[in-house]
PDB file of all heavy atoms in Angstrom:
ATOM      1  N   ASP Q  17       0.015 -42.833  -1.454  1.00 74.00           N
ATOM      2  CA  ASP Q  17      -1.393 -42.954  -1.068  1.00 74.00           C
ATOM      3  C   ASP Q  17      -2.356 -42.434  -2.130  1.00 74.00           C
ATOM      4  O   ASP Q  17      -3.569 -42.484  -1.951  1.00 74.00           O
ATOM      5  CB  ASP Q  17      -1.648 -42.181   0.242  1.00 74.00           C
ATOM      6  CG  ASP Q  17      -0.951 -42.823   1.422  1.00 74.00           C
ATOM      7  OD1 ASP Q  17      -0.752 -44.050   1.381  1.00 74.00           O
ATOM      8  OD2 ASP Q  17      -0.594 -42.098   2.373  1.00 74.00           O
ATOM      9  N   SER Q  18      -1.813 -41.923  -3.226  1.00 75.00           N
ATOM     10  CA  SER Q  18      -2.666 -41.347  -4.261  1.00 75.00           C
ATOM     11  C   SER Q  18      -3.082 -42.406  -5.274  1.00 75.00           C
ATOM     12  O   SER Q  18      -2.278 -43.268  -5.641  1.00 75.00           O
ATOM     13  CB  SER Q  18      -1.928 -40.215  -4.984  1.00 75.00           C
ATOM     14  OG  SER Q  18      -2.684 -39.751  -6.084  1.00 75.00           O
ATOM     15  N   PRO Q  19      -4.335 -42.357  -5.743  1.00 72.00           N
ATOM     16  CA  PRO Q  19      -4.777 -43.309  -6.767  1.00 72.00           C
ATOM     17  C   PRO Q  19      -4.265 -42.959  -8.164  1.00 72.00           C
ATOM     18  O   PRO Q  19      -4.428 -43.735  -9.091  1.00 72.00           O
ATOM     19  CB  PRO Q  19      -6.299 -43.204  -6.702  1.00 72.00           C
ATOM     20  CG  PRO Q  19      -6.547 -41.812  -6.229  1.00 72.00           C
ATOM     21  CD  PRO Q  19      -5.429 -41.495  -5.282  1.00 72.00           C
ATOM     22  N   ARG Q  20      -3.635 -41.796  -8.308  1.00 74.00           N
ATOM     23  CA  ARG Q  20      -3.150 -41.376  -9.611  1.00 74.00           C
ATOM     24  C   ARG Q  20      -1.823 -42.039  -9.952  1.00 74.00           C
ATOM     25  O   ARG Q  20      -1.150 -42.614  -9.094  1.00 74.00           O
ATOM     26  CB  ARG Q  20      -2.997 -39.847  -9.653  1.00 74.00           C
ATOM     27  CG  ARG Q  20      -4.317 -39.135  -9.807  1.00 74.00           C
ATOM     28  CD  ARG Q  20      -4.233 -37.667  -9.463  1.00 74.00           C
ATOM     29  NE  ARG Q  20      -3.301 -36.900 -10.267  1.00 74.00           N
ATOM     30  CZ  ARG Q  20      -3.563 -36.435 -11.486  1.00 74.00           C
ATOM     31  NH1 ARG Q  20      -4.726 -36.718 -12.072  1.00 74.00           N
ATOM     32  NH2 ARG Q  20      -2.692 -35.684 -12.131  1.00 74.00           N
ATOM     33  N   ASP Q  21      -1.464 -41.955 -11.221  1.00 79.00           N
ATOM     34  CA  ASP Q  21      -0.167 -42.439 -11.676  1.00 79.00           C
ATOM     35  C   ASP Q  21       0.930 -41.797 -10.825  1.00 79.00           C
ATOM     36  O   ASP Q  21       0.833 -40.632 -10.430  1.00 79.00           O
ATOM     37  CB  ASP Q  21       0.015 -42.059 -13.150  1.00 79.00           C
ATOM     38  CG  ASP Q  21       1.407 -42.374 -13.652  1.00 79.00           C
ATOM     39  OD1 ASP Q  21       1.656 -43.531 -14.026  1.00 79.00           O
ATOM     40  OD2 ASP Q  21       2.243 -41.449 -13.658  1.00 79.00           O
ATOM     41  N   SER Q  22       1.992 -42.554 -10.518  1.00 82.00           N
ATOM     42  CA  SER Q  22       3.010 -42.091  -9.575  1.00 82.00           C
ATOM     43  C   SER Q  22       3.650 -40.769 -10.003  1.00 82.00           C
ATOM     44  O   SER Q  22       3.877 -39.884  -9.168  1.00 82.00           O
ATOM     45  CB  SER Q  22       4.087 -43.160  -9.388  1.00 82.00           C
ATOM     46  OG  SER Q  22       4.717 -43.456 -10.619  1.00 82.00           O
ATOM     47  N   GLU Q  23       3.938 -40.618 -11.298  1.00 88.00           N
ATOM     48  CA  GLU Q  23       4.554 -39.378 -11.768  1.00 88.00           C
ATOM     49  C   GLU Q  23       3.599 -38.198 -11.623  1.00 88.00           C
ATOM     50  O   GLU Q  23       3.989 -37.113 -11.193  1.00 88.00           O
ATOM     51  CB  GLU Q  23       5.013 -39.519 -13.216  1.00 88.00           C
ATOM     52  CG  GLU Q  23       6.209 -40.448 -13.404  1.00 88.00           C
ATOM     53  CD  GLU Q  23       6.732 -40.419 -14.818  1.00 88.00           C
ATOM     54  OE1 GLU Q  23       6.243 -39.589 -15.619  1.00 88.00           O
ATOM     55  OE2 GLU Q  23       7.632 -41.216 -15.137  1.00 88.00           O
ATOM     56  N   ASP Q  24       2.329 -38.418 -11.986  1.00 86.00           N
ATOM     57  CA  ASP Q  24       1.334 -37.355 -11.836  1.00 86.00           C
ATOM     58  C   ASP Q  24       1.131 -37.013 -10.359  1.00 86.00           C
ATOM     59  O   ASP Q  24       0.998 -35.839  -9.990  1.00 86.00           O
ATOM     60  CB  ASP Q  24      -0.001 -37.779 -12.447  1.00 86.00           C
ATOM     61  CG  ASP Q  24       0.033 -37.778 -13.970  1.00 86.00           C
ATOM     62  OD1 ASP Q  24       0.883 -37.063 -14.538  1.00 86.00           O
ATOM     63  OD2 ASP Q  24      -0.767 -38.505 -14.585  1.00 86.00           O
ATOM     64  N   ALA Q  25       1.101 -38.041  -9.521  1.00 87.00           N
ATOM     65  CA  ALA Q  25       0.879 -37.820  -8.096  1.00 87.00           C
ATOM     66  C   ALA Q  25       2.033 -37.035  -7.474  1.00 87.00           C
ATOM     67  O   ALA Q  25       1.818 -36.147  -6.639  1.00 87.00           O
ATOM     68  CB  ALA Q  25       0.707 -39.160  -7.381  1.00 87.00           C
ATOM     69  N   GLU Q  26       3.259 -37.343  -7.876  1.00 90.00           N
ATOM     70  CA  GLU Q  26       4.405 -36.604  -7.332  1.00 90.00           C
ATOM     71  C   GLU Q  26       4.385 -35.153  -7.799  1.00 90.00           C
ATOM     72  O   GLU Q  26       4.696 -34.238  -7.038  1.00 90.00           O
ATOM     73  CB  GLU Q  26       5.719 -37.263  -7.735  1.00 90.00           C
ATOM     74  CG  GLU Q  26       6.921 -36.563  -7.117  1.00 90.00           C
ATOM     75  CD  GLU Q  26       8.221 -37.317  -7.301  1.00 90.00           C
ATOM     76  OE1 GLU Q  26       8.178 -38.476  -7.753  1.00 90.00           O
ATOM     77  OE2 GLU Q  26       9.275 -36.725  -6.993  1.00 90.00           O
ATOM     78  N   LEU Q  27       3.990 -34.944  -9.047  1.00 91.00           N
ATOM     79  CA  LEU Q  27       3.866 -33.573  -9.553  1.00 91.00           C
ATOM     80  C   LEU Q  27       2.781 -32.824  -8.784  1.00 91.00           C
ATOM     81  O   LEU Q  27       2.949 -31.647  -8.441  1.00 91.00           O
ATOM     82  CB  LEU Q  27       3.548 -33.601 -11.044  1.00 91.00           C
ATOM     83  CG  LEU Q  27       3.479 -32.237 -11.753  1.00 91.00           C
ATOM     84  CD1 LEU Q  27       4.810 -31.507 -11.644  1.00 91.00           C
ATOM     85  CD2 LEU Q  27       3.083 -32.419 -13.214  1.00 91.00           C
ATOM     86  N   ASP Q  28       1.654 -33.504  -8.512  1.00 89.00           N
ATOM     87  CA  ASP Q  28       0.593 -32.898  -7.700  1.00 89.00           C
ATOM     88  C   ASP Q  28       1.148 -32.473  -6.337  1.00 89.00           C
ATOM     89  O   ASP Q  28       0.887 -31.360  -5.866  1.00 89.00           O
ATOM     90  CB  ASP Q  28      -0.551 -33.894  -7.471  1.00 89.00           C
ATOM     91  CG  ASP Q  28      -1.292 -34.254  -8.750  1.00 89.00           C
ATOM     92  OD1 ASP Q  28      -1.193 -33.495  -9.729  1.00 89.00           O
ATOM     93  OD2 ASP Q  28      -1.948 -35.312  -8.752  1.00 89.00           O
ATOM     94  N   ALA Q  29       1.906 -33.381  -5.707  1.00 91.00           N
ATOM     95  CA  ALA Q  29       2.421 -33.116  -4.364  1.00 91.00           C
ATOM     96  C   ALA Q  29       3.362 -31.918  -4.353  1.00 91.00           C
ATOM     97  O   ALA Q  29       3.271 -31.039  -3.487  1.00 91.00           O
ATOM     98  CB  ALA Q  29       3.140 -34.353  -3.833  1.00 91.00           C
ATOM     99  N   ARG Q  30       4.270 -31.858  -5.322  1.00 93.00           N
ATOM    100  CA  ARG Q  30       5.226 -30.752  -5.362  1.00 93.00           C
ATOM    101  C   ARG Q  30       4.509 -29.419  -5.635  1.00 93.00           C
ATOM    102  O   ARG Q  30       4.885 -28.379  -5.080  1.00 93.00           O
ATOM    103  CB  ARG Q  30       6.302 -31.019  -6.399  1.00 93.00           C
ATOM    104  CG  ARG Q  30       7.226 -32.168  -6.023  1.00 93.00           C
ATOM    105  CD  ARG Q  30       8.386 -32.325  -6.993  1.00 93.00           C
ATOM    106  NE  ARG Q  30       9.229 -33.433  -6.611  1.00 93.00           N
ATOM    107  CZ  ARG Q  30      10.167 -33.386  -5.675  1.00 93.00           C
ATOM    108  NH1 ARG Q  30      10.362 -32.247  -5.008  1.00 93.00           N
ATOM    109  NH2 ARG Q  30      10.907 -34.437  -5.378  1.00 93.00           N
ATOM    110  N   ALA Q  31       3.496 -29.461  -6.481  1.00 94.00           N
ATOM    111  CA  ALA Q  31       2.731 -28.242  -6.751  1.00 94.00           C
ATOM    112  C   ALA Q  31       1.985 -27.781  -5.505  1.00 94.00           C
ATOM    113  O   ALA Q  31       1.963 -26.586  -5.182  1.00 94.00           O
ATOM    114  CB  ALA Q  31       1.755 -28.491  -7.901  1.00 94.00           C
ATOM    115  N   LEU Q  32       1.375 -28.722  -4.785  1.00 93.00           N
ATOM    116  CA  LEU Q  32       0.650 -28.372  -3.567  1.00 93.00           C
ATOM    117  C   LEU Q  32       1.596 -27.830  -2.501  1.00 93.00           C
ATOM    118  O   LEU Q  32       1.274 -26.865  -1.798  1.00 93.00           O
ATOM    119  CB  LEU Q  32      -0.100 -29.598  -3.046  1.00 93.00           C
ATOM    120  CG  LEU Q  32      -1.316 -30.028  -3.875  1.00 93.00           C
ATOM    121  CD1 LEU Q  32      -1.727 -31.463  -3.526  1.00 93.00           C
ATOM    122  CD2 LEU Q  32      -2.477 -29.063  -3.668  1.00 93.00           C
ATOM    123  N   LEU Q  33       2.768 -28.450  -2.366  1.00 94.00           N
ATOM    124  CA  LEU Q  33       3.765 -27.958  -1.412  1.00 94.00           C
ATOM    125  C   LEU Q  33       4.195 -26.536  -1.763  1.00 94.00           C
ATOM    126  O   LEU Q  33       4.302 -25.672  -0.885  1.00 94.00           O
ATOM    127  CB  LEU Q  33       4.990 -28.880  -1.407  1.00 94.00           C
ATOM    128  CG  LEU Q  33       4.884 -30.184  -0.618  1.00 94.00           C
ATOM    129  CD1 LEU Q  33       6.007 -31.129  -1.014  1.00 94.00           C
ATOM    130  CD2 LEU Q  33       4.948 -29.890   0.882  1.00 94.00           C
ATOM    131  N   ALA Q  34       4.458 -26.310  -3.039  1.00 95.00           N
ATOM    132  CA  ALA Q  34       4.903 -24.986  -3.470  1.00 95.00           C
ATOM    133  C   ALA Q  34       3.822 -23.939  -3.219  1.00 95.00           C
ATOM    134  O   ALA Q  34       4.119 -22.809  -2.782  1.00 95.00           O
ATOM    135  CB  ALA Q  34       5.283 -25.018  -4.944  1.00 95.00           C
ATOM    136  N   MET Q  35       2.558 -24.287  -3.496  1.00 95.00           N
ATOM    137  CA  MET Q  35       1.475 -23.330  -3.288  1.00 95.00           C
ATOM    138  C   MET Q  35       1.281 -23.029  -1.801  1.00 95.00           C
ATOM    139  O   MET Q  35       1.109 -21.864  -1.415  1.00 95.00           O
ATOM    140  CB  MET Q  35       0.177 -23.865  -3.897  1.00 95.00           C
ATOM    141  CG  MET Q  35       0.155 -23.810  -5.414  1.00 95.00           C
ATOM    142  SD  MET Q  35      -1.466 -24.182  -6.130  1.00 95.00           S
ATOM    143  CE  MET Q  35      -1.553 -25.963  -5.848  1.00 95.00           C
ATOM    144  N   ALA Q  36       1.306 -24.064  -0.966  1.00 95.00           N
ATOM    145  CA  ALA Q  36       1.083 -23.859   0.466  1.00 95.00           C
ATOM    146  C   ALA Q  36       2.226 -23.078   1.099  1.00 95.00           C
ATOM    147  O   ALA Q  36       2.008 -22.089   1.814  1.00 95.00           O
ATOM    148  CB  ALA Q  36       0.912 -25.209   1.162  1.00 95.00           C
ATOM    149  N   ALA Q  37       3.463 -23.514   0.836  1.00 95.00           N
ATOM    150  CA  ALA Q  37       4.619 -22.829   1.421  1.00 95.00           C
ATOM    151  C   ALA Q  37       4.770 -21.425   0.837  1.00 95.00           C
ATOM    152  O   ALA Q  37       5.078 -20.472   1.566  1.00 95.00           O
ATOM    153  CB  ALA Q  37       5.885 -23.648   1.182  1.00 95.00           C
ATOM    154  N   GLY Q  38       4.556 -21.304  -0.468  1.00 96.00           N
ATOM    155  CA  GLY Q  38       4.679 -19.993  -1.098  1.00 96.00           C
ATOM    156  C   GLY Q  38       3.670 -19.001  -0.562  1.00 96.00           C
ATOM    157  O   GLY Q  38       3.992 -17.830  -0.325  1.00 96.00           O
ATOM    158  N   ALA Q  39       2.442 -19.459  -0.361  1.00 96.00           N
ATOM    159  CA  ALA Q  39       1.408 -18.574   0.179  1.00 96.00           C
ATOM    160  C   ALA Q  39       1.767 -18.115   1.591  1.00 96.00           C
ATOM    161  O   ALA Q  39       1.638 -16.936   1.932  1.00 96.00           O
ATOM    162  CB  ALA Q  39       0.056 -19.285   0.180  1.00 96.00           C
ATOM    163  N   SER Q  40       2.227 -19.050   2.410  1.00 96.00           N
ATOM    164  CA  SER Q  40       2.575 -18.696   3.790  1.00 96.00           C
ATOM    165  C   SER Q  40       3.772 -17.752   3.839  1.00 96.00           C
ATOM    166  O   SER Q  40       3.804 -16.814   4.645  1.00 96.00           O
ATOM    167  CB  SER Q  40       2.882 -19.964   4.594  1.00 96.00           C
ATOM    168  OG  SER Q  40       1.716 -20.746   4.761  1.00 96.00           O
ATOM    169  N   LEU Q  41       4.757 -17.995   2.980  1.00 95.00           N
ATOM    170  CA  LEU Q  41       5.916 -17.101   2.925  1.00 95.00           C
ATOM    171  C   LEU Q  41       5.500 -15.697   2.496  1.00 95.00           C
ATOM    172  O   LEU Q  41       5.906 -14.698   3.096  1.00 95.00           O
ATOM    173  CB  LEU Q  41       6.957 -17.667   1.949  1.00 95.00           C
ATOM    174  CG  LEU Q  41       8.156 -16.773   1.630  1.00 95.00           C
ATOM    175  CD1 LEU Q  41       8.942 -16.450   2.892  1.00 95.00           C
ATOM    176  CD2 LEU Q  41       9.055 -17.441   0.598  1.00 95.00           C
ATOM    177  N   PHE Q  42       4.667 -15.606   1.459  1.00 96.00           N
ATOM    178  CA  PHE Q  42       4.230 -14.309   0.949  1.00 96.00           C
ATOM    179  C   PHE Q  42       3.424 -13.556   2.000  1.00 96.00           C
ATOM    180  O   PHE Q  42       3.612 -12.346   2.212  1.00 96.00           O
ATOM    181  CB  PHE Q  42       3.411 -14.506  -0.321  1.00 96.00           C
ATOM    182  CG  PHE Q  42       3.084 -13.228  -1.031  1.00 96.00           C
ATOM    183  CD1 PHE Q  42       4.011 -12.614  -1.857  1.00 96.00           C
ATOM    184  CD2 PHE Q  42       1.832 -12.634  -0.874  1.00 96.00           C
ATOM    185  CE1 PHE Q  42       3.705 -11.421  -2.515  1.00 96.00           C
ATOM    186  CE2 PHE Q  42       1.521 -11.451  -1.524  1.00 96.00           C
ATOM    187  CZ  PHE Q  42       2.459 -10.842  -2.347  1.00 96.00           C
ATOM    188  N   LEU Q  43       2.512 -14.254   2.668  1.00 96.00           N
ATOM    189  CA  LEU Q  43       1.678 -13.600   3.674  1.00 96.00           C
ATOM    190  C   LEU Q  43       2.503 -13.129   4.873  1.00 96.00           C
ATOM    191  O   LEU Q  43       2.191 -12.106   5.479  1.00 96.00           O
ATOM    192  CB  LEU Q  43       0.585 -14.559   4.144  1.00 96.00           C
ATOM    193  CG  LEU Q  43      -0.542 -14.822   3.145  1.00 96.00           C
ATOM    194  CD1 LEU Q  43      -1.416 -15.971   3.616  1.00 96.00           C
ATOM    195  CD2 LEU Q  43      -1.380 -13.570   2.919  1.00 96.00           C
ATOM    196  N   SER Q  44       3.551 -13.877   5.222  1.00 94.00           N
ATOM    197  CA  SER Q  44       4.344 -13.522   6.402  1.00 94.00           C
ATOM    198  C   SER Q  44       5.365 -12.430   6.123  1.00 94.00           C
ATOM    199  O   SER Q  44       5.895 -11.820   7.066  1.00 94.00           O
ATOM    200  CB  SER Q  44       5.066 -14.767   6.937  1.00 94.00           C
ATOM    201  OG  SER Q  44       6.075 -15.203   6.035  1.00 94.00           O
ATOM    202  N   THR Q  45       5.635 -12.133   4.838  1.00 93.00           N
ATOM    203  CA  THR Q  45       6.670 -11.155   4.521  1.00 93.00           C
ATOM    204  C   THR Q  45       6.161  -9.948   3.735  1.00 93.00           C
ATOM    205  O   THR Q  45       6.704  -8.854   3.876  1.00 93.00           O
ATOM    206  CB  THR Q  45       7.803 -11.807   3.700  1.00 93.00           C
ATOM    207  OG1 THR Q  45       7.248 -12.419   2.519  1.00 93.00           O
ATOM    208  CG2 THR Q  45       8.521 -12.869   4.519  1.00 93.00           C
ATOM    209  N   VAL Q  46       5.151 -10.140   2.896  1.00 95.00           N
ATOM    210  CA  VAL Q  46       4.673  -9.058   2.032  1.00 95.00           C
ATOM    211  C   VAL Q  46       3.241  -8.661   2.378  1.00 95.00           C
ATOM    212  O   VAL Q  46       2.969  -7.517   2.748  1.00 95.00           O
ATOM    213  CB  VAL Q  46       4.772  -9.456   0.542  1.00 95.00           C
ATOM    214  CG1 VAL Q  46       4.243  -8.319  -0.333  1.00 95.00           C
ATOM    215  CG2 VAL Q  46       6.216  -9.784   0.171  1.00 95.00           C
ATOM    216  N   ALA Q  47       2.319  -9.606   2.260  1.00 96.00           N
ATOM    217  CA  ALA Q  47       0.902  -9.312   2.491  1.00 96.00           C
ATOM    218  C   ALA Q  47       0.547  -9.536   3.960  1.00 96.00           C
ATOM    219  O   ALA Q  47      -0.372 -10.288   4.297  1.00 96.00           O
ATOM    220  CB  ALA Q  47       0.027 -10.175   1.586  1.00 96.00           C
ATOM    221  N   THR Q  48       1.283  -8.880   4.840  1.00 95.00           N
ATOM    222  CA  THR Q  48       1.119  -9.141   6.273  1.00 95.00           C
ATOM    223  C   THR Q  48      -0.268  -8.752   6.789  1.00 95.00           C
ATOM    224  O   THR Q  48      -0.737  -9.307   7.788  1.00 95.00           O
ATOM    225  CB  THR Q  48       2.198  -8.390   7.070  1.00 95.00           C
ATOM    226  OG1 THR Q  48       2.168  -6.986   6.726  1.00 95.00           O
ATOM    227  CG2 THR Q  48       3.581  -8.937   6.752  1.00 95.00           C
ATOM    228  N   GLU Q  49      -0.927  -7.791   6.111  1.00 97.00           N
ATOM    229  CA  GLU Q  49      -2.292  -7.420   6.532  1.00 97.00           C
ATOM    230  C   GLU Q  49      -3.257  -8.585   6.371  1.00 97.00           C
ATOM    231  O   GLU Q  49      -4.286  -8.652   7.062  1.00 97.00           O
ATOM    232  CB  GLU Q  49      -2.801  -6.226   5.711  1.00 97.00           C
ATOM    233  CG  GLU Q  49      -2.042  -4.928   5.938  1.00 97.00           C
ATOM    234  CD  GLU Q  49      -0.764  -4.842   5.111  1.00 97.00           C
ATOM    235  OE1 GLU Q  49      -0.468  -5.810   4.365  1.00 97.00           O
ATOM    236  OE2 GLU Q  49      -0.073  -3.822   5.205  1.00 97.00           O
ATOM    237  N   ASP Q  50      -2.955  -9.493   5.464  1.00 97.00           N
ATOM    238  CA  ASP Q  50      -3.822 -10.639   5.215  1.00 97.00           C
ATOM    239  C   ASP Q  50      -3.303 -11.930   5.844  1.00 97.00           C
ATOM    240  O   ASP Q  50      -3.808 -13.014   5.540  1.00 97.00           O
ATOM    241  CB  ASP Q  50      -3.993 -10.855   3.706  1.00 97.00           C
ATOM    242  CG  ASP Q  50      -4.942  -9.834   3.090  1.00 97.00           C
ATOM    243  OD1 ASP Q  50      -5.936  -9.500   3.754  1.00 97.00           O
ATOM    244  OD2 ASP Q  50      -4.679  -9.388   1.959  1.00 97.00           O
ATOM    245  N   ASP Q  51      -2.339 -11.811   6.729  1.00 96.00           N
ATOM    246  CA  ASP Q  51      -1.810 -12.991   7.423  1.00 96.00           C
ATOM    247  C   ASP Q  51      -2.739 -13.304   8.594  1.00 96.00           C
ATOM    248  O   ASP Q  51      -2.377 -13.173   9.762  1.00 96.00           O
ATOM    249  CB  ASP Q  51      -0.384 -12.708   7.897  1.00 96.00           C
ATOM    250  CG  ASP Q  51       0.336 -13.973   8.355  1.00 96.00           C
ATOM    251  OD1 ASP Q  51      -0.207 -15.080   8.154  1.00 96.00           O
ATOM    252  OD2 ASP Q  51       1.434 -13.854   8.921  1.00 96.00           O
ATOM    253  N   THR Q  52      -3.953 -13.742   8.247  1.00 96.00           N
ATOM    254  CA  THR Q  52      -5.009 -13.923   9.236  1.00 96.00           C
ATOM    255  C   THR Q  52      -5.540 -15.361   9.195  1.00 96.00           C
ATOM    256  O   THR Q  52      -5.314 -16.094   8.233  1.00 96.00           O
ATOM    257  CB  THR Q  52      -6.185 -12.972   8.953  1.00 96.00           C
ATOM    258  OG1 THR Q  52      -6.750 -13.302   7.667  1.00 96.00           O
ATOM    259  CG2 THR Q  52      -5.718 -11.524   8.937  1.00 96.00           C
ATOM    260  N   ASP Q  53      -6.254 -15.715  10.245  1.00 96.00           N
ATOM    261  CA  ASP Q  53      -6.858 -17.048  10.296  1.00 96.00           C
ATOM    262  C   ASP Q  53      -7.794 -17.261   9.108  1.00 96.00           C
ATOM    263  O   ASP Q  53      -7.825 -18.345   8.517  1.00 96.00           O
ATOM    264  CB  ASP Q  53      -7.643 -17.231  11.601  1.00 96.00           C
ATOM    265  CG  ASP Q  53      -6.737 -17.313  12.821  1.00 96.00           C
ATOM    266  OD1 ASP Q  53      -5.521 -17.537  12.642  1.00 96.00           O
ATOM    267  OD2 ASP Q  53      -7.245 -17.156  13.947  1.00 96.00           O
ATOM    268  N   ALA Q  54      -8.580 -16.236   8.773  1.00 97.00           N
ATOM    269  CA  ALA Q  54      -9.566 -16.376   7.707  1.00 97.00           C
ATOM    270  C   ALA Q  54      -8.897 -16.641   6.360  1.00 97.00           C
ATOM    271  O   ALA Q  54      -9.339 -17.511   5.596  1.00 97.00           O
ATOM    272  CB  ALA Q  54     -10.424 -15.120   7.622  1.00 97.00           C
ATOM    273  N   VAL Q  55      -7.844 -15.902   6.057  1.00 96.00           N
ATOM    274  CA  VAL Q  55      -7.160 -16.087   4.772  1.00 96.00           C
ATOM    275  C   VAL Q  55      -6.483 -17.452   4.718  1.00 96.00           C
ATOM    276  O   VAL Q  55      -6.564 -18.162   3.704  1.00 96.00           O
ATOM    277  CB  VAL Q  55      -6.135 -14.957   4.533  1.00 96.00           C
ATOM    278  CG1 VAL Q  55      -5.254 -15.272   3.322  1.00 96.00           C
ATOM    279  CG2 VAL Q  55      -6.858 -13.637   4.311  1.00 96.00           C
ATOM    280  N   HIS Q  56      -5.828 -17.845   5.793  1.00 96.00           N
ATOM    281  CA  HIS Q  56      -5.167 -19.156   5.803  1.00 96.00           C
ATOM    282  C   HIS Q  56      -6.183 -20.293   5.704  1.00 96.00           C
ATOM    283  O   HIS Q  56      -5.930 -21.303   5.044  1.00 96.00           O
ATOM    284  CB  HIS Q  56      -4.312 -19.313   7.060  1.00 96.00           C
ATOM    285  CG  HIS Q  56      -2.999 -18.600   6.978  1.00 96.00           C
ATOM    286  ND1 HIS Q  56      -1.910 -19.124   6.308  1.00 96.00           N
ATOM    287  CD2 HIS Q  56      -2.609 -17.403   7.473  1.00 96.00           C
ATOM    288  CE1 HIS Q  56      -0.893 -18.280   6.403  1.00 96.00           C
ATOM    289  NE2 HIS Q  56      -1.292 -17.233   7.097  1.00 96.00           N
ATOM    290  N   ALA Q  57      -7.335 -20.116   6.357  1.00 94.00           N
ATOM    291  CA  ALA Q  57      -8.379 -21.136   6.259  1.00 94.00           C
ATOM    292  C   ALA Q  57      -8.882 -21.259   4.827  1.00 94.00           C
ATOM    293  O   ALA Q  57      -9.102 -22.367   4.320  1.00 94.00           O
ATOM    294  CB  ALA Q  57      -9.536 -20.790   7.199  1.00 94.00           C
TER     295      ALA Q  57
END
């Protein structure tokens, strides 16, 4: 669904997945004080 070149678009997707999942993992295990609606938003 991306207008970008397929290779660039797949790299974008993997980077976004890593950032989203990594942030949620970190907040749920280490930075638990910031595991809040505001930070996730």
Side-chain angles (χ1 to χ4, degrees):
D17 292 332
S18 173
R20 283 164 60 81
D21 173 83
S22 60
E23 290 187 6
D24 287 337
E26 183 170 350
L27 184 60
D28 294 340
R30 292 186 181 279
L32 288 163
L33 281 165
M35 286 189 287
S40 293
L41 172 60
F42 188 81
L43 287 170
S44 68
T45 56
V46 179
T48 54
E49 294 83 359
D50 284 322
D51 192 9
T52 63
D53 291 344
V55 170
H56 281 280

